Amino acid sequence: MDRNAVGKELEPLLIELIDLALIAKQAHWNVSGLWFRPLHVQLDELADDVRNWSDDVAERLSTIGLAADGRLETLAKMTPFDAFPDGFVDSRTVVAHIVERLNLVVESNRTRIDRLGALDLVSQDLVISVTAGLEKHRWMFAAEQSSTA
């Protein structure tokens, strides 16, 4: 196994997951509007799941002999996400931002899954599992878009 090639697939995913967990908590604290209560709970569930998946990815990096880098400065430099709005954010806006981010990670993971198939099946399986969970969350948040529109 080329652990450096595997690391080039897993490290960006780690950054995306850490940032997604932070965004989910930011949104959880500041969501407002008609769908406040269900989104407040749903965002906490997302944050919990994403934190667990980021831990799994970081531990996989360590398992293959690479140091996981989840430092703030690395996150700020490497995140693919645009800034999340500050202050209180209307529920419709929160949902749109979360769906956008989930779409980005899922699409990136689909490419990672393909590349990891030739590199490391264990890491590929991990990314497949993370993607399945992210897709479930994306489906649930996207259902809110039709409800809040």
Side-chain angles (χ1 to χ4, degrees):
M1 170 191 12
D2 181 348
R3 66 184 183 156
N4 290 321
V6 173
K8 287 181 181 177
E9 300 300 328
L10 295 181
E11 185 63 34
L13 174 57
L14 178 62
I15 296 299
E16 292 165 10
L17 293 173
I18 292 169
D19 199 356
L20 184 58
L22 292 170
I23 289 166
K25 285 309 286 187
Q26 180 69 24
H28 165 83
W29 297 323
N30 294 297
V31 65
S32 64
L34 183 60
W35 297 102
F36 165 79
R37 177 72 177 140
L39 283 176
H40 185 75
V41 172
Q42 192 175 3
L43 288 160
D44 238 1
E45 293 167 353
L46 174 63
D48 288 345
D49 285 347
V50 172
R51 274 196 218 119
N52 287 330
W53 295 323
S54 67
D55 194 50
D56 292 341
V57 171
E59 288 176 355
R60 182 67 188 153
L61 283 162
S62 295
T63 298
I64 64 171
L66 299 172
D69 189 355
R71 295 171 301 156
L72 180 61
E73 55 271 17
T74 304
L75 181 67
K77 196 177 350 176
M78 292 184 60
T79 185
F81 301 136
D82 293 332
F84 191 80
D86 63 345
F88 292 107
V89 184
D90 182 73
S91 59
R92 290 170 292 213
T93 303
V94 166
V95 169
H97 279 277
I98 295 298
V99 169
E100 176 185 337
R101 284 158 172 77
L102 289 168
N103 281 335
L104 188 140
V105 181
V106 166
E107 292 311 312
S108 294
N109 278 358
R110 294 235 166 246
T111 303
R112 289 180 184 118
I113 289 166
D114 289 341
R115 289 190 297 245
L116 285 167
L119 298 170
D120 177 34
L121 295 178
V122 175
S123 295
Q124 182 193 45
D125 186 55
L126 172 60
V127 176
I128 289 169
S129 176
V130 169
T131 304
L134 291 170
E135 286 179 337
K136 182 177 178 184
H137 280 288
R138 180 179 64 181
W139 161 62
M140 291 181 173
F141 279 99
E144 293 289 339
Q145 282 181 314
S146 61
S147 298
T148 60

